[in-house]
Amino acid sequence: MSWVPVPEGSPFPLANLPLGIGRDGDGAQRAWVAIGDAALDLAAAQAEGWLDGTGAPAGCFGASSLNEYLAAGPATWSAVRARVTELLEDPSVERRLGAHVRPRADLVMGVPVAPADYVDFYSSIHHATNLGRLFRPDTEPLLANWRRIPVGYHGRCGTLVADGSEIHRPHGYRVVDGEPQVGPSRALDIELEVGTVVGVGSERGRPIPIGEAGRHLYGMCLVNDWSARDIQAFEYQPLGPFLGKSFATSVSPWLVSFEALAPFRIAAVRQDPPPADYLSTAEHWGFDLHLEVWFESAAMRDGGLPAVCISRTTFADMYWTPAQQLAHLTLNGASTRAGDLFASGTVSGPTPGSEGSLIELTWRGERPFELPDGTTRSFLLDGDCVELRGWAGSDPSTRIGLGSVGGTVVDRPAHPEED
Ligand code: CA
């Protein structure tokens, strides 16, 4: 039991203790640990010596990202988690440490890490199959490489944005009435993804063996990889996604450690053909995560109508695991750094209502869905707000949350050279 009250059903019980970066009022950005509806100021706790002996570098929790802390490695992560647990369970420290506890609602949260590299994978077999059917009908939906390697590309770190950020509708070249024209995207979409964060980086020229992934990877968050399908369709060959993806990627504020996620590890799905040696491990790198997409239009907001859930899916049947993704992205000797982020790829299930993107959910606009405000959607309109939510475990008494990440689409001025 924690002396900070934890409401029943809270995503952040004592078993979770996710870390985030945020500020209260005019205070500086610094690290917090979430507990119930509150958060403990780790920078203040560290400054007063409460975290001495854990190995956390001096002042690391006063930084504007968790990078330096994550670089300290698994022994420190475990020691900090154990110390915070001990402190929150000890009523005798409440009087002194309680001064550093704030309601989470009073905090403005940022992106928890400052990645030097961000990779977007494509590891859901249901998503890859759906997109194959949409874009290459009458052929085998999965390309020849898909079951051999975790397919991915490098994304843009400079446009990773925090929960609650406005998403400016991107403009770019897209085909309208058979003619390529520059203008606002008419096919703005979401991608429901789970992000994995690197703690301990690696040197250039030294691939990370898959058996060592657990010493490098810190934890997970939610990622919405906003995508402009019409811009993407025009630009993506031969070099891959570019402006259709790079305008904004939302990252959830609370980073959940793999230590907290340990009870929710499961065997990954059987892979056929068997993966290459560098992608093979007996460790369980699947996770029993439940994910949802919630939708609210501007009219719903104005009319006081609650958001609606448009998709529910599971992370349990992802084909490629975070350990395989890390082993693959360093196979060529590419280095990694503390705070690096890689996203799972859109998480979709095999059944209607479990798709992680609107292009799948509406089958590229052929099957628009209805909203309580009487309108329908194929892709996002200005004012639409999308929130991803996730948690680990099925039993409400033991599950822990990944929290949520939301964003609202807004219009932006046209480029001067547009019509
Ligand atoms: Ca993606």
Side-chain angles (χ1 to χ4, degrees):
M1 284 287 286
S2 145
W3 47 264
V4 177
V6 177
E8 195 178 333
S10 169
F12 304 138
L14 202 52
N16 194 346
L17 299 181
L19 304 186
I21 293 289
R23 59 184 166 79
D24 57 338
D26 298 330
Q29 283 213 319
R30 56 197 188 276
W32 301 78
V33 56
I35 177 76
D37 291 335
L40 170 65
D41 181 341
L42 285 178
Q46 185 177 34
E48 290 182 2
W50 294 101
L51 303 175
D52 287 358
T54 59
C60 71
F61 291 121
S64 59
S65 84
L66 292 169
N67 287 23
E68 186 186 0
Y69 169 65
L70 298 186
T76 295
W77 310 336
S78 282
V80 168
R81 177 177 170 80
R83 180 67 56 81
V84 170
T85 303
E86 186 186 325
L87 291 171
L88 289 172
E89 282 179 329
D90 179 359
S92 75
V93 305
E94 178 177 358
R95 192 178 52 80
R96 287 169 293 162
L97 205 53
H100 304 310
V101 174
R102 299 278 182 280
R104 278 194 292 115
D106 290 355
L107 302 180
V108 178
M109 301 302 295
V111 177
V113 288
D117 282 298
Y118 160 53
V119 172
D120 186 19
F121 281 103
Y122 191 56
S123 292
S124 158
I125 197 166
H126 304 300
H127 174 69
T129 301
N130 281 339
L131 286 208
R133 287 190 180 131
L134 274 167
F135 289 113
R136 296 181 305 277
D138 310 319
T139 63
E140 170 57 38
L142 295 179
L143 294 173
N145 60 4
W146 199 87
R147 287 174 181 272
R148 298 286 182 180
I149 56 173
V151 170
Y153 67 95
H154 280 89
R156 188 169 186 83
C157 295
T159 45
L160 295 172
V161 299
D163 177 38
S165 293
E166 291 185 335
I167 305 301
H168 301 98
R169 179 175 297 277
H171 291 221
Y173 253 109
R174 72 277 190 269
V175 176
V176 178
D177 301 329
E179 284 296 316
Q181 299 173 3
V182 180
S185 171
R186 299 176 178 186
L188 186 55
D189 200 351
I190 58 156
E191 291 193 337
L192 166 63
E193 307 200 24
V194 175
T196 298
V197 167
V198 173
V200 179
S202 57
E203 289 173 27
R204 192 164 60 87
R206 185 191 167 279
I208 296 177
I210 192 164
E212 293 180 17
R215 299 204 284 114
H216 289 269
L217 297 177
Y218 177 77
M220 296 178 122
C221 56
L222 295 169
V223 173
N224 187 348
D225 181 29
W226 306 88
S227 298
R229 301 298 178 193
D230 44 0
I231 297 171
Q232 184 183 356
F234 186 69
E235 73 182 0
Y236 87 102
Q237 289 177 318
L239 290 186
F242 192 40
L243 303 186
K245 295 280 193 173
S246 60
F247 54 95
T249 305
S250 298
V251 181
S252 64
W254 295 106
L255 188 54
V256 178
S257 67
F258 280 119
E259 197 170 351
L261 289 168
F264 310 103
R265 278 181 183 257
I266 53 174
V269 297
R270 198 178 72 82
Q271 296 177 318
D272 179 25
D277 285 348
Y278 83 94
L279 294 171
S280 296
T281 175
E283 288 179 284
H284 284 185
W285 276 99
F287 291 90
D288 177 25
L289 306 183
H290 302 260
L291 306 168
E292 294 178 346
V293 181
W294 289 75
F295 197 103
E296 179 192 73
S297 67
M300 289 166 67
R301 200 156 47 243
D302 294 345
L305 297 168
V308 288
C309 182
I310 59 170
S311 178
R312 287 189 167 88
T313 193
T314 174
F315 194 73
D317 60 358
M318 289 296 279
Y319 193 87
W320 296 105
T321 70
Q324 291 177 316
Q325 290 166 339
L326 183 70
H328 183 65
L329 77 86
T330 60
L331 174 66
N332 64 351
S335 52
T336 56
R337 286 167 279 192
D340 281 1
L341 173 69
F342 52 96
S344 59
T346 307
V347 185
S348 290
T351 52
S354 66
E355 303 91 341
S357 68
L358 300 185
I359 192 172
E360 295 167 86
L361 196 70
T362 70
W363 212 246
R364 196 158 43 181
E366 284 175 27
R367 306 195 288 252
F369 60 91
E370 292 178 10
L371 291 172
D373 63 10
T375 63
T376 62
R377 284 296 181 282
S378 297
F379 292 103
L380 299 169
L381 299 183
D382 293 343
D384 288 347
C385 175
V386 175
E387 185 176 272
L388 311 182
R389 301 177 188 173
W391 64 90
S394 302
D395 179 349
S397 67
T398 56
R399 72 187 194 183
I400 64 171
L402 291 166
S404 63
V405 61
T408 303
V409 177
V410 297
D411 193 15
R412 46 145 269 205
H415 188 277
E417 292 180 10
E418 290 174 41
D419 295 335

